[in-house]
């Protein structure tokens, strides 16, 4: 009996112990003690264990734990709380704000994390969710309106076209104005060659955690070279400790035509009012009632469908976490014969090898294949041929049933000069850009003693590009009528290696020292082999193998650059009140002569948090900051020596390259002074950040034309200086915050004014060769804004009125065609972001405003020349009295009152020749995106076996309100391909493809 009782006792004891050892499911909600609202993203983990989760958007969480274990609740800006698991299966926690914890940490230069409150220069952060709300595949386009001080423009609405970003104005005329691009601490390729998309578009927005924009030179001074234009620091997502989490999303986009230029539908082909079928102009008689008039612009563009699917898997423990993602995008376009197929794969993990050593490694593969139906802007613009095509022809009639070209007009025996629908070139002469890209990134940190961190990072960005374009035999051309094929295969790699030692410790009770020292190496290598072949011996084989050898040109290009640097940064902080910092960096570069290839870049900054001097500083915050920096920039590759190139004439050999070398080049320098303030009220419900700056670039590296007796066409010099002055502000806040409804808003605004201070020698105007038109050109003029326009104008009297001749027509001033006639820089820019959340619903939208700034409407100039512009139909052959004055014999002026007829002769010989007729001061207000989302209730999602589900409806660029007479006013005809200079074609509309209107539907599921 005793034995049975003992066995029963032991069994009961073991059962009790087993039950105690079993996990139970704990649920609850984490709220803020300030407003009693749920806090998303709170880390909930078992103390001393590996189990960890995060609270959802409502602050709710679910975690498995055993009785007696301790749960730790932690979140940045709040005091951590601990709770012991007992019998209760629900544990709700309130977190109190920690006034000692600085509210936001941002990633700055070299991947160094700093508290935003301690920064003494301007930095702005865009969260990944805000980036994804824009629903743009190109990250640059997704930043539009979200950054104060950033001027962003797309070259057009096609997946094959580049976009560019300029921070605080242009710093150089013929170099690269775009900021340095850094992803997870390594430099990445953002080139846009062969007229194709900029390479930052390869990256998947779904993988991005946040983007930090270092706008000023002081903010980016640790990067030295290329920091003059600022830096964009992209941080990708990482694994989070906790149970395995799988997320997947799918979005579909319907793309339609945006705003396009208008054409007249009154006059047919001809010249001088007479019908002529041999003419490609629309200066003929009026259309007869029985003649068909085609709306070729509408017939050309089409509706397209895009599919975008993504997934990611993340999880791990406190010692090892991982993040794996994949994305697939199959994009159509409103441009016929244009499509994109992109694959993104990424693996990233962090391992704590010991208490002192941590290793983070990642690898990414990107495949981005784009077929573009419109080839190059060399003929004046991307779609000028469509805009100028006479409306008596059907643009969709371009080939015969057997595939041969169907000419709209041809003279027998002169097919190479025939007229054919532009659709032939779009459909039969495509270009293909195929990219394979590999990125590897390894970072190891070692903390040997308290306060000291040693870090070494080694990474490589490798891009393999194949660019191919074809001209099908039968295409009207004086040189390629029998066919043409060109291909360029290139490989580009950036290798980044840097070491940093960071010491961060209190050296006195109220004094904190942060010191950084390190060195870096950056290697760039680009190798390419290309060929061009003309005249196919077999018309349907597009290969150099079916071309006579004398019609094949093969070239090889190699560009290499090596840079080294050492740097240091020292910062002292007194309590949370004041800080002062000094940065120094010395660079060595291979692109400058031996006597000038090393230069030093210092920066100095300070801040004063004056709100800490008041007793009630918990409710508000105020800081003043100031910084000064001087950074250097090296020369483009191979500009110090004169080179030979292969001669393609009979007999071959070598000739001087048109670009002459300059062995006396020195570094270009940019210096910047910035003052700013940050204010926060109502416990961070209202935040204001204002900055004013002055930036000067001196000893600019320019490549102007030189006298032909020199033996060269262009040569690189240190030749000039320019200045940018501006103000930028960001106001963000939460006007309404209740348990069920939240409204947050951010207003970004900025104004920049530039001035060309001096040129070398007798240069007065620097014209960009890729933006020269008959009556106007993009240019920079001495003592005028950098983004200028020069051209011809009418003669004017001392009061500025146009002088009219005795016949009643305005007189063209032929004294110069390089008169300053416009400024492409906007007067002011605003971006307004609104986010609303009501229970499970959310609504986000972004307004983008531009006030002022001129556009050179070269598209209109071409349409005027051809007689197809809408204004021709409105004004041709009508009487008109010009608002001007007539000069009298005694030199005085009287008001003009003579009527004249606006005939063909006037438009062709007068109006078309005057640049000021095509310069327009433009305003716009556009909605960049609208997103409406619905989050499935957690309880309902759990019944479906899901952790969460979200549905989304969106619209991108749904409408724009503008006074611009052309198509979409966001124009940049050549984009960053224009010699790398953003100053060249931003604000030039030369056959720009309009931005599309896009509507999307998406779903996101978390398992």
């Amino acid at each position: 009996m005793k034995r049975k009782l003992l066995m029963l006792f032991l069994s009961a004891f073991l059962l009790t112990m087993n039950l105690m050892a079993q996990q139970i499911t704990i649920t609850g909600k984490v709220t803020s003690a300030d407003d009693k609202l749920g806090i998303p993203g709170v880390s909930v983990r078992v103390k001393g264990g590996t189990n960890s989760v995060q609270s959802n958007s409502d602050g709710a969480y679910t975690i498995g734990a055993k009785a007696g274990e301790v749960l730790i609740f932690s979140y940045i800006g709040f005091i951590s709380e601990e709770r012991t698991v007992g019998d209760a299966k629900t544990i709700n926690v309130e977190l109190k704000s920690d006034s000692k914890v600085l509210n936001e940490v941002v990633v700055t230069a070299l991947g160094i994390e700093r508290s935003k409150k301690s920064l003494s220069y301007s930095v702005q952060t865009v969260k990944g969710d805000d980036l994804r709300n824009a629903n743009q595949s190109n990250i640059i386009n997704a930043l539009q309106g979200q950054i104060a001080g950033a001027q962003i423009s797309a070259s057009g609405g096609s997946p094959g076209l580049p976009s560019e970003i300029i921070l605080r104005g242009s710093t150089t005329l013929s170099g690269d104005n775009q900021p340095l691009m850094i992803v997870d601490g390594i430099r990445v390729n953002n080139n846009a060659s062969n007229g194709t998309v900029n390479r930052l578009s390869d990256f998947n927005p779904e993988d991005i955690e946040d983007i930090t924009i270092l706008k000023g030179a002081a903010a980016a001074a640790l990067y030295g070279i290329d920091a003059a234009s600022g830096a964009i620091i992209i941080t990708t997502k990482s694994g989070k400790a906790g149970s395995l989490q799988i997320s997947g999303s799918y979005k579909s986009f319907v793309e339609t035509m945006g705003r396009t230029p208008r054409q007249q539908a009154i006059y047919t082909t001809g010249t001088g009012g007479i019908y002529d079928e041999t003419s490609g102009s629309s200066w003929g008689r009026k259309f007869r009632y029985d003649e068909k008039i085609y709306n070729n612009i509408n017939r050309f563009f089409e509706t397209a469908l895009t599919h975008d699917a993504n997934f990611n898997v993340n999880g791990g423990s406190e010692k090892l976490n991982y993040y794996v993602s994949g994305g697939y995008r199959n994009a159509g376009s409103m441009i016929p014969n244009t499509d994109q197929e992109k694959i993104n794969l990424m693996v990233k993990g962090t391992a704590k090898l010991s208490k002192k050593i941590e290793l983070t490694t990642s690898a990414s593969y990107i495949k981005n294949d784009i077929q573009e139906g419109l080839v190059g802007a060399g003929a004046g613009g991307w779609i000028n041929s469509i805009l100028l095509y006479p409306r008596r022809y059907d643009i969709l009639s371009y080939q015969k049933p057997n595939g041969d070209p169907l000419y709209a007009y041809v003279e027998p025996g002169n097919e190479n000069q025939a007229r054919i629908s532009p659709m032939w070139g779009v459909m039969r002469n495509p270009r293909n850009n195929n990219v394979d890209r590999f990125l590897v990134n390894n970072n190891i940190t070692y903390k040997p003693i308290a306060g000291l961190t040693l870090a070494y990072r080694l990474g490589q960005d490798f891009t393999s590009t194949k660019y191919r374009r074809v001209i099908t035999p039968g295409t009207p051309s004086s040189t390629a009528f029998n066919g043409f094929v060109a291909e360029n295969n290139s490989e580009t790699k950036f290798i980044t290696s840097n070491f940093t030692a960071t010491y961060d410790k209190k050296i006195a009770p109220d004094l904190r020292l942060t010191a950084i020292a390190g060195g870096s190496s950056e290697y760039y290598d680009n190798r390419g082999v290309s060929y061009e072949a003309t005249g196919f011996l077999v018309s349907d084989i597009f290969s150099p193998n079916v071309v006579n050898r004398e019609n094949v040109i093969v070239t090889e290009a190699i560009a290499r650059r090596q840079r080294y640097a050492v740097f240091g940064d020292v910062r002292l902080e007194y309590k949370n009140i004041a800080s002062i910092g000094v940065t120094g960096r010395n660079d060595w570069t291979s692109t400058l002569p031996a006597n000038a290839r090393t230069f030093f870049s210092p920066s100095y900054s300070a801040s004063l948090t004056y709100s800490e001097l008041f007793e009630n500083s918990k409710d508000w915050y105020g800081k003043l900051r100031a910084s000064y920096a001087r950074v250097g920039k090296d020369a483009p590759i191979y500009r110090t020596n004169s080179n030979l190139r292969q001669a393609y004439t009979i007999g071959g050999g070598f000739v001087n390259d048109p670009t002459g070398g300059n062995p006396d080049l020195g570094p270009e320098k940019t210096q910047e002074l910035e003052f700013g303030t940050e204010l926060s009220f109502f416990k961070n419900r209202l935040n204001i950040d204002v900055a004013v700056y002055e930036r000067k670039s001196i000893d600019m590296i320019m490549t102007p034309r030189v006298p032909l007796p020199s033996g060269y066409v262009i040569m690189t010099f240190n030749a000039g200086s320019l200045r940018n002055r501006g103000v930028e502000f960001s106001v963000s806040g939460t006007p309404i915050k209740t348990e069920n409804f939240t409204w947050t808003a951010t207003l970004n605004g900025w104004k920049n004014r530039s001035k060309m201070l001096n040129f070398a020698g007798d240069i007065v105007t620097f014209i960009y060769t890729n933006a020269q038109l008959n009556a106007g050109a993009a240019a920079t003029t001495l003592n005028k804004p950098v983004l200028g326009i020069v051209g011809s104008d009418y003669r004017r009297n001392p009061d500025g009125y146009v002088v009219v001749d005795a016949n009643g027509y305005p007189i063209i001033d032929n004294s110069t065609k390089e008169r300053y006639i416009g400024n492409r820089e906007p007067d002011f820019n605003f971006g307004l972001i609104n986010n609303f959340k009501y229970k499970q619903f959310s609504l986000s939208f972004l307004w983008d405003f531009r006030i002022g700034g001129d556009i050179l409407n070269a598209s209109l100039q071409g349409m005027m020349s051809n007689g197809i512009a809408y204004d021709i139909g409105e004004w041709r052959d009508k009487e008109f009295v010009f608002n001007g004055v007539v000069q009298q014999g005694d030199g005085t002026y009287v008001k003009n009152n003579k009527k004249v007829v606006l005939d063909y002769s006037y438009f062709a010989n007068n109006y078309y020749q005057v640049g000021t007729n095509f310069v327009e001061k433009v305003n716009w207000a556009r909605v960049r995106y609208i997103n409406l989302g619905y989050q499935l209730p957690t309880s309902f999602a759990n019944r479906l076996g899901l952790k969460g589900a979200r549905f989304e409806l969106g619209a991108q660029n749904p409408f724009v309100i503008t006074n611009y007479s052309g198509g979409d006013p966001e124009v940049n005809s050549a984009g960053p391909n224009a010699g790398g200079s953003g100053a060249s074609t931003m604000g030039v509309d030369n056959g720009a493809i309009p931005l599309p209107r896009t509507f999307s539907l998406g779903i996101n599921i978390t398992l």
Side-chain angles (χ1 to χ4, degrees), residues 457-499:
R457 184 183 298 276
L458 177 63
Q460 176 176 283
D461 178 11
F462 176 84
T463 307
S464 175
T465 303
K466 177 182 178 181
Y467 171 77
R468 177 182 171 90
R469 62 190 181 100
V470 170
I471 297 178
T472 300
T475 301
S477 170
S478 59
T479 59
F481 181 73
N482 293 317
F484 171 87
V485 61
E487 185 173 309
N488 177 271
N489 294 276
S490 64
E491 295 180 348
T492 302
K493 60 183 175 183
F494 284 97
I495 300 177
T496 302
S497 172
N498 60 59
F499 171 80

Side-chain angles (χ1 to χ4, degrees), residues 399-421:
Q399 70 177 4
K400 299 176 182 177
N402 65 354
D404 289 343
L406 177 61
Y407 301 122
Y409 175 80
V410 60
E411 294 181 9
N414 197 25
E415 288 84 358
N416 64 340
Q417 297 299 321
R419 186 175 309 119
I420 193 170
S421 164

